[in-house]
Amino acid sequence: MNNRLLMAKNFARARHEGQRYGEFPYHVHLDDVEKLAQPFGINAMVVAQLHDILEDTTTSFDELVTDFGELVALAVSYLTDPVGGDRKSKKKQLYQRFTTLDPVEEAARLALIVKACDRLANVKASRLFHPPKYALYQSEHPEFRKAAYRVGLCEMVWWELDMLVEVGDKIGRY
């Protein structure tokens, strides 16, 4: 395993210690997102491990820059939910941010990839373990896709996500 990835895993596990992802330790979710991001390289995998760290822990942007570099810190910051407000207003602001991201910029490209992987991991887990959350992701999908999808960027992730959201309840669980 790459040293940077191992460092990110250890850092994320320490910072998310005690947090849960449904009935599982939080690192289960981070590992799921990392596995989905694997085809996109080590930086995507590192960002996957750290993608929730700014919004769910006391970790600062500067700490990420110091430990993982500006590229990773910037990508993670792009993924971080705005502070305050309800879910709908936070997602609206986040989606507005996503629409401005240009995948030519490496941090933006990483953020868009990891966000698609994160949503796919969330949809898969909620479909199996939390149907009301799955229904929420289904209802948010058109707006989310409009903001975060870029032609030619992680197409297979989007294909699976679209399938699970649009027809997943009709094709049965797998």
Side-chain angles (χ1 to χ4, degrees), residues 33-162:
V33 177
E34 178 203 319
K35 285 176 193 152
L36 292 168
Q38 185 176 10
F40 307 100
I42 196 70
N43 284 335
M45 295 165 68
V46 168
V47 172
Q49 282 292 327
L50 301 171
H51 77 275
D52 283 332
I53 208 149
L54 293 176
E55 71 186 53
D56 292 344
T57 76
T58 59
T59 304
S60 72
F61 178 83
D62 290 338
E63 285 179 275
L64 289 182
V65 170
T66 299
D67 291 342
F68 299 99
E70 192 168 334
L71 175 69
V72 167
L74 190 55
V76 171
S77 74
Y78 288 154
L79 295 167
T80 302
D81 277 354
V83 178
D86 61 8
R87 179 182 174 88
K88 188 175 181 176
S89 66
K90 284 195 237 184
K91 293 305 175 192
K92 183 178 180 178
Q93 291 176 56
L94 185 65
Y95 297 169
Q96 286 173 340
R97 182 185 313 146
F98 290 161
T99 63
T100 68
L101 296 181
D102 182 352
V104 171
E105 179 206 348
E106 185 63 10
R109 185 183 79 80
L110 290 168
L112 291 166
I113 289 168
V114 171
K115 189 60 198 178
C117 294
D118 175 43
R119 184 55 65 103
L120 178 55
N122 285 333
V123 166
K124 285 180 168 185
S126 66
R127 190 166 169 260
L128 293 173
F129 301 112
H130 194 22
K133 190 77 162 203
Y134 175 64
L136 177 65
Y137 289 131
Q138 285 180 303
S139 71
E140 291 176 345
H141 188 67
E143 188 177 356
F144 171 72
R145 192 180 206 290
K146 184 178 177 183
Y149 174 76
R150 301 296 188 280
V151 173
L153 188 66
C154 61
E155 290 288 347
M156 289 307 292
V157 172
W158 280 102
W159 179 85
E160 186 174 0
L161 180 56
D162 288 344

